[in-house]
Amino acid sequence: MNLRLDDRLQSARDRYVARRPASAELASAAAEYLPGGHTRTVLHFDPFPFRVASAEGAHLTDVDGNTVVDLLGNYTAGLAGHSPTAVAQAVAAALDSGWALGATHPDEIRFAKLMTDRFPAVERVRFTNSGTEANLMAISTARHVTGRDAIIVFSGGYHGGVLTYGTTGRAINAPFDTELATFNDLETVAAIMTARGSEIAAVLVEPMLGSGGCIPPDPGFLAGLRTLCDRNESLLIFDEVMTSRLSPGGAQQRFGVMPDLATFGKYLAGGMSFGAFGGRADILSVFDTSRPARGIAAGLEPLGHAGTFNNNVLTMAAGVATLEEVVTSDAIGALNDKGEGLRARLGEIFDRSGLEMSVSGLGSLMNIHPVAGPVRTPADLAHGDERLRELFFFEMLEAGYYLARRGFIALSIPVTSTELDGFCAAVRAWTESMSGVDV
Ligand code: PMP
């Protein structure tokens, strides 16, 4: 007799719990002080998340002694892997010379030069503490220099905890005047511009939807946004917090479309807290306290940009080491090739299995979905069987591979080809085992 999917899921959950008594105990303790037992919601999953005791290279070991291959790479911030030597040494050296300076220091110049050399649309850059903050600053800058209030964003887009446009989490969004368009559908953007063109300060877009399911742009979509923004005199902002890894010069270089402003975060400071926004010098000149603003910002008073930790010594040192020594052009190229190979193999396994499962993404970023592909917009994901997604997550974890509960994978440099072979074998075995399950 065939096993029912619900029963198999319950038994996978039970096995997960049985192997993690120490994590279970810590989950109860955590809930005493942290609402829900966590302080970063995405890390929580029911019945409770495992708690990490140590991390090394591409491996995590939890407090119960279970070690897994880390395919999640801290939701892209861990591209360099755990404790990369060059970053650890740079941070150690910075600790030796003091870190709460309340003054400027040389490393912020070196890091800024590395960022502007690397990303073609970034003529000037300013540092923040997170990707969320970078986006808040970019939006606010765009509104200020254009003298317009509204922004266009995309359903399923994610730009931070208070800039979330997926199916959940919108209740605490920052109160910007926001219009929602559909990713990969230029008509929806054009229609908003027709209705409210003179009010639209900027279009804010992830060049590939990341949290929304790793949905790549259709050919011409980003270039089309560029044209629409030019025609409407609105700014184009690329949120490259995730996509900056898709080529050495980010998605802007990969797709050959230059935004006016771009935002960054995640891996660029080797895993330390980090964010940045940058772009056209004439726009950023509004923060130049020594000279009159130029270009689009001409005539505007210089703005302040505050932030106690904007030039955080440890982050700046880590960023320099990361860009100079770890996340080199060659390393980015090799990692994206590895990701293309993995995605092709996973796609083939799911196609052959007959299951309603697929994988989408670009380079080293991908998402496994409980729907048959192709996935072009978030609406294509609406009818997936969430039980399949959860079962896949728990059974991959049991096989020794950690990906996000939602199926997201962000490869990091230390993940080996042998480990990816092992993961593909585990996925194949899983799809075969599903043939006896009544979905
Ligand atoms: N933008 C994108 C595209 C992101 O993926 C994220 C984080 N997942 C953010 C912004 C927010 O960055 P942070 O978590 O550093 O605030």
Side-chain angles (χ1 to χ4, degrees):
M1 200 181 82
N2 279 356
L3 194 64
R4 286 174 52 238
L5 179 57
D6 288 331
D7 296 336
R8 176 149 161 184
L9 180 53
Q10 190 53 51
S11 119
R13 275 198 208 125
D14 292 346
R15 292 193 308 275
Y16 171 86
V17 172
R19 287 177 70 172
R20 291 176 181 80
S23 279
E25 208 173 301
L26 286 173
S28 309
E32 301 271 316
Y33 315 106
L34 300 161
H38 49 81
T39 188
R40 183 182 176 197
T41 308
V42 74
L43 300 183
H44 178 78
F45 53 83
D46 286 333
F48 55 83
F50 63 86
R51 296 228 168 223
V52 173
S54 65
E56 176 68 39
H59 299 108
L60 296 174
T61 301
D62 70 18
V63 290
D64 291 287
N66 301 295
T67 296
V68 288
V69 178
D70 181 5
L71 297 180
L72 174 54
N74 194 6
Y75 290 84
T76 73
L79 184 151
H82 300 292
S83 315
T85 308
V87 177
Q89 285 171 350
V91 170
L95 283 172
D96 275 346
S97 46
W99 60 89
L101 306 182
T104 62
H105 58 93
D107 273 353
E108 65 201 75
I109 312 169
R110 294 173 67 198
F111 193 17
K113 176 169 175 5
L114 287 162
M115 291 283 295
T116 55
D117 286 350
R118 194 167 183 119
F119 298 108
V122 179
E123 295 173 332
R124 296 287 185 276
V125 67
R126 294 189 70 89
F127 296 116
T128 63
N129 297 280
S130 68
T132 305
E133 204 185 319
N135 281 312
L136 289 170
M137 285 305 302
I139 294 168
S140 301
T141 304
R143 293 172 78 234
H144 181 72
V145 299
T146 60
R148 300 174 175 185
D149 273 343
I151 53 166
I152 297 178
V153 296
F154 294 86
S155 292
Y158 181 82
H159 306 285
V162 290
L163 297 166
T164 169
Y165 305 101
T167 46
T168 58
R170 293 188 196 186
I172 57 162
N173 268 356
F176 291 115
D177 179 352
T178 303
E179 291 283 350
L180 277 179
T182 302
F183 195 76
N184 279 334
D185 187 347
L186 289 170
E187 291 299 316
T188 61
V189 179
I192 296 166
M193 286 184 171
T194 302
R196 301 190 62 190
S198 63
E199 298 171 83
I200 305 296
V203 173
L204 171 61
V205 65
E206 295 166 83
M208 171 178 78
L209 281 188
S211 304
C214 286
I215 303 179
D218 283 349
F221 175 64
L222 298 173
L225 289 181
R226 179 69 276 175
T227 305
L228 287 172
C229 283
D230 287 344
R231 206 177 289 157
N232 199 55
E233 296 180 359
S234 303
L235 300 184
L236 179 60
I237 309 174
F238 276 2
D239 178 341
E240 292 242 41
V241 169
M242 278 196 180
T243 60
S244 63
R245 58 154 65 195
L246 293 179
S247 86
Q252 51 197 262
Q253 184 185 59
R254 178 167 178 148
F255 295 107
V257 177
M258 292 304 124
D260 300 294
L261 292 171
T263 58
F264 301 90
K266 303 287 194 192
Y267 70 93
L268 283 161
M272 295 277 162
S273 310
F274 167 74
F277 68 104
R280 278 167 47 188
D282 66 323
I283 297 174
L284 272 288
S285 72
V286 81
F287 296 101
D288 183 343
T289 42
S290 69
R291 274 187 272 142
R294 293 186 287 117
I296 189 173
L300 296 174
E301 290 292 309
L303 294 180
H305 165 220
T308 301
F309 295 112
N310 286 355
N311 69 341
N312 172 5
V313 167
L314 303 184
T315 296
M316 298 296 114
V320 171
T322 302
L323 289 187
E324 280 184 348
E325 298 176 57
V326 185
V327 185
T328 58
S329 291
D330 286 352
I332 284 276
L335 191 66
N336 282 322
D337 288 349
K338 220 184 250 182
E340 298 293 345
L342 174 63
R343 196 166 42 262
R345 287 158 79 189
L346 292 175
E348 211 179 292
I349 294 168
F350 290 134
D351 282 352
R352 283 204 188 147
S353 73
L355 289 171
E356 301 256 305
M357 300 276 296
S358 59
V359 60
S360 64
L362 285 174
S364 57
L365 302 179
M366 62 202 82
N367 210 115
I368 292 167
H369 306 287
V371 300
V375 175
R376 270 196 64 243
T377 74
D380 295 332
L381 297 171
H383 304 296
D385 187 334
E386 288 304 316
R387 296 171 307 166
L388 263 185
R389 196 197 293 277
E390 188 179 356
L391 181 65
F392 184 77
F393 169 72
F394 278 120
E395 294 198 339
M396 283 306 115
L397 202 55
E398 191 169 17
Y401 302 93
Y402 177 49
L403 50 147
R405 165 73 178 70
R406 66 173 186 251
F408 179 60
I409 290 174
L411 293 182
S412 61
I413 291 171
V415 177
T416 64
S417 303
T418 311
E419 284 164 340
L420 294 182
D421 289 347
F423 177 56
C424 286
V427 175
R428 186 174 294 110
W430 183 82
T431 58
E432 285 163 7
S433 76
M434 290 299 291
S435 64
V437 175
D438 284 335
V439 174

